[in-house]
């Protein structure tokens, strides 16, 4: 019977990064897909938004918001950039500090494989993990491991694998078409660890019924808008689709949608519309034409319909102040109750996962089960759009490596 030092469940970003610390260990990497790192290869439209220049704990969401701070302090943007530059991978900065490769995501994958390369490592692709069991002196779960305590049995569609320790780097439920499963949470629960309900994250916001007819006709229109949910506010591109809001603004706002959630949209964040209209009230132009200098005319029309319905829009000189204020509210303070998001098949990442309170932060080891480790998207840490989730993969894997060295 072959017993590995480590079984790594998941051959994606975090799992491959972690191999840098396991070169001297006998390791088997168990990947459900036929190829490694499919999700990594698809990020950023294949260009791979691998990190961000503006990394901070404010860019991450978790039930324990302080958990990520030590990780980012230990492994920041420039630590990963040192690796990228070592391999002479060309990259560029885009809006809001996003860093993309110029040579494609494949160059990042090749870098990870080279950095983690060891003849001690075995890769098993098309290997779906079904269960993980730990043998103890009291319970021997497989005949061929009888008498061998503290050995993990990893049950898969390719048969059983045995390892002294297990690193779970299997991600979450987003992109099921790329083999995403809930195996990380299943493993955690089997060892008595608390998990946080998994939800689609960085997902489109579905229009509520009240607004469906208003916005569905605007499909394809994109504007720069501001969205506020609770104490969090973002200004970014907002895309109207036939079924909901999308684009960077909507995806970031989705992280804060819990049940029915009120989001306030400002469709003209640079202009106080009510005040602007009052200053323009002597203009000979129609209100629609004036506002269409700043927003697409079709959007202007549907927003004004929210104020006047099917009635004719008054000429500016005859417009009441109360009507101007109402227009201002619709354009600058449009409150919409959002309760539905796009599903896991459309979501960029998964919210929730294994509770970070169940993990020793300096080693990534389970508090409930010695020898069992979790990193990356499997944990209840979700980054905003812009390279933050990949940076969490790097920084959590780096902490795992650091813990092994102690």
């Amino acid at each position: 019977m072959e017993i590995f030092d480590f079984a790594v469940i998941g051959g994606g970003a975090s799992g491959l990064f972690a191999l840098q610390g396991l070169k001297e260990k006998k390791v088997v990497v168990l990947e459900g897909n036929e190829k490694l790192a499919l999700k990594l290869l698809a990020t950023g439209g294949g260009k791979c938004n691998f990190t961000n220049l503006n990394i901070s704990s404010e860019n991450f969401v978790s039930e324990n918001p302080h958990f990520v701070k030590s990780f980012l302090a230990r492994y920041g943007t420039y630590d990963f950039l040192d690796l990228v530059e070592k391999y002479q991978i060309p990259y560029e900065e885009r809006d809001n500090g996003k860093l993309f490769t110029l040579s494609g995501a494949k160059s990042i994958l090749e870098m990870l494989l080279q950095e983690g390369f060891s003849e001690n490592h075995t890769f098993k692709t098309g290997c779906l993990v079904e269960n993980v069991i730990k043998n103890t002196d009291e319970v021997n779960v497989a005949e061929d491991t009888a008498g061998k305590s503290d050995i993990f049995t990893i049950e898969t569609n390719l048969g059983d694998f045995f390892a002294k320790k297990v690193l779970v780097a299997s991600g979450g439920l987003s992109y099921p078409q790329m083999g995403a499963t809930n195996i990380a949470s299943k493993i955690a629960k089997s060892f008595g660890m608390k998990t946080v309900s998994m939800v689609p994250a960085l997902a489109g916001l579905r229009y509520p019924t009240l607004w469906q007819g208003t916005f569905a006709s605007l499909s394809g229109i994109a504007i720069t808008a501001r969205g506020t949910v609770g104490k969090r506010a973002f200004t970014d591109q907002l895309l109207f689709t036939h079924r909901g809001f999308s684009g960077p603004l909507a995806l970031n706002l989705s992280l804060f949608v819990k049940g029915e959630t009120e989001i306030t949209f400002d469709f003209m964040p640079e202009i106080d519309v009510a005040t602007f209209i009052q200053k323009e009230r002597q203009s000979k132009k129609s209100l629609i034409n004036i506002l269409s200098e700043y927003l697409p005319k079709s959007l202007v029309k549907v927003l004004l319909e929210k104020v006047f319905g099917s009635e004719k829009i008054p000429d500016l000189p005859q417009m009441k102040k109360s009507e101007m204020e109402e227009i201002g509210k619709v354009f600058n303070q449009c409150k919409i109750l959002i309760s539905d998001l796009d599903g896991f098949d459309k979501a960029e990442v998964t919210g929730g996962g294994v509770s970070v309170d169940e993990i020793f932060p300096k080693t990534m080891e389970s508090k409930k089960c010695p020898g069992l480790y979790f990193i990356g998207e499997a944990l209840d840490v979700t980054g905003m759009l812009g390279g933050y989730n990949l940076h969490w993969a790097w920084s959590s894997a780096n902490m795992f490596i650091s813990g092994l060295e102690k």
Side-chain angles (χ1 to χ4, degrees):
M1 180 184 68
E2 186 173 21
I3 299 177
F4 293 91
D5 294 319
F6 260 96
V8 177
I9 300 176
S14 60
L16 294 179
F17 189 102
L19 293 180
Q20 296 174 53
L22 299 172
K23 291 183 179 181
E24 304 303 317
K25 305 290 185 182
K26 186 178 180 182
V27 176
V28 62
V29 179
L30 308 176
E31 168 55 44
N33 291 307
E34 294 297 335
K35 295 183 178 180
L36 298 172
L38 286 183
K39 190 173 177 182
L40 172 67
L41 292 173
T43 58
K47 289 295 186 180
C48 193
N49 179 195
F50 56 85
T51 189
N52 195 294
L53 290 174
N54 304 315
I55 294 283
S56 81
S57 61
E58 294 297 311
N59 303 122
F60 297 87
V61 176
S62 171
E63 283 199 348
N64 182 344
H66 302 291
F67 185 79
V68 301
K69 292 181 178 179
S70 60
F71 293 79
L72 303 180
R74 181 179 286 271
Y75 197 83
T77 301
Y78 291 96
D79 293 298
F80 193 77
L81 274 180
D82 286 343
L83 195 57
V84 169
E85 291 171 355
K86 172 184 173 182
Y87 283 81
Q88 299 181 331
I89 298 174
Y91 63 91
E92 66 177 355
E93 178 186 352
R94 297 187 188 176
D95 60 297
N96 300 317
K98 301 170 187 173
L99 298 182
F100 287 78
T101 67
L102 292 173
S103 52
K106 189 176 180 180
S107 60
I108 298 294
L109 173 57
E110 291 172 347
M111 177 191 77
L112 294 175
L113 292 173
Q114 186 63 34
E115 277 294 294
F117 176 77
S118 170
E119 293 182 352
N120 296 320
H121 297 171
T122 300
F123 290 83
K124 297 289 184 180
T125 56
C127 184
L128 298 171
V129 174
E130 299 164 352
N131 197 18
V132 173
I133 302 168
K134 187 175 186 181
N135 309 327
T136 67
D137 289 328
E138 295 77 24
V139 179
N140 293 302
V141 297
E143 290 183 7
D144 51 2
T145 60
K148 299 182 184 297
S149 61
D150 294 330
I151 298 297
F152 289 90
T153 300
I154 302 96
E155 299 175 347
T156 81
N157 65 317
L158 300 183
D160 292 348
F161 293 87
F162 306 99
K164 298 174 185 177
K165 296 182 179 182
V166 173
L167 171 63
V168 181
S170 55
L173 287 173
S174 58
Y175 288 105
Q177 63 271 32
M178 292 186 183
T181 71
N182 67 341
I183 189 60
S185 289
K186 180 180 177 180
I187 292 169
K189 288 177 181 178
S190 72
F191 289 99
M193 299 172 64
K194 185 178 74 171
T195 63
V196 178
S197 296
M198 290 186 287
V199 296
L202 297 184
L205 309 173
R206 297 287 182 87
Y207 300 136
T209 303
L210 182 64
W211 291 86
Q212 177 68 36
T214 301
F215 290 137
S217 63
L218 302 176
S219 182
I221 288 177
I223 63 170
T224 297
R226 185 173 179 82
T228 303
V229 53
K231 296 180 179 179
R232 305 302 295 260
F234 305 91
T235 300
D236 214 322
Q237 284 288 300
L238 181 68
L239 173 66
F240 295 85
T241 74
H242 68 283
R243 63 182 179 182
F245 297 112
S246 190
L249 177 59
L251 300 192
N252 277 328
L253 289 170
S254 74
L255 295 176
F256 305 94
V257 174
K258 310 294 182 185
E260 191 173 64
T261 303
E262 183 179 82
I263 298 179
T264 301
F265 288 97
D266 185 347
F267 299 113
M268 290 177 60
E270 301 299 321
I271 297 175
D272 182 322
V273 174
T275 302
F276 173 73
I277 293 173
Q278 290 182 45
K279 291 180 179 179
E280 293 287 327
R281 66 181 311 162
Q282 300 306 319
S283 173
K284 295 181 180 180
K285 295 181 180 179
S286 70
L287 179 59
I288 289 178
N289 286 339
I290 289 174
L291 294 176
S292 295
E293 295 178 11
Y294 303 90
L295 290 175
K297 181 173 287 188
S298 55
L299 174 58
V300 171
K301 286 181 176 179
V302 299
L303 291 178
L304 289 177
E305 284 176 5
K306 280 292 179 181
V307 179
F308 298 103
S310 59
E311 296 179 14
K312 181 182 177 182
I313 300 171
D315 292 333
L316 276 173
Q318 284 75 48
M319 191 172 290
K320 300 175 183 177
K321 183 178 180 181
S322 61
E323 291 173 327
M324 296 181 184
E325 291 174 348
E326 190 62 30
I327 292 170
K329 288 180 181 179
V330 171
F331 278 77
N332 292 135
Q333 302 174 49
C334 187
K335 300 183 185 300
I336 300 177
L337 290 175
I338 300 291
S339 57
D340 295 321
L341 307 177
D342 284 342
F344 285 110
D345 60 325
K346 300 289 186 182
E348 297 278 337
V349 292
T350 301
V354 180
S355 172
V356 296
D357 293 334
E358 301 281 8
I359 301 295
F360 289 114
K362 292 184 178 181
T363 62
M364 309 309 290
E365 189 173 20
S366 165
K367 294 178 180 178
K368 297 282 179 64
C369 181
L372 180 63
Y373 302 78
F374 293 83
I375 58 173
E377 193 182 349
L379 292 164
D380 173 36
V381 175
T382 309
M384 295 176 186
L385 193 70
Y388 299 109
N389 286 289
L390 272 180
H391 193 86
W392 170 244
W394 318 139
S395 60
S396 61
N398 176 74
M399 190 68 84
F400 163 76
I401 295 170
S402 300
L404 293 175
E405 297 170 351
K406 294 178 181 178

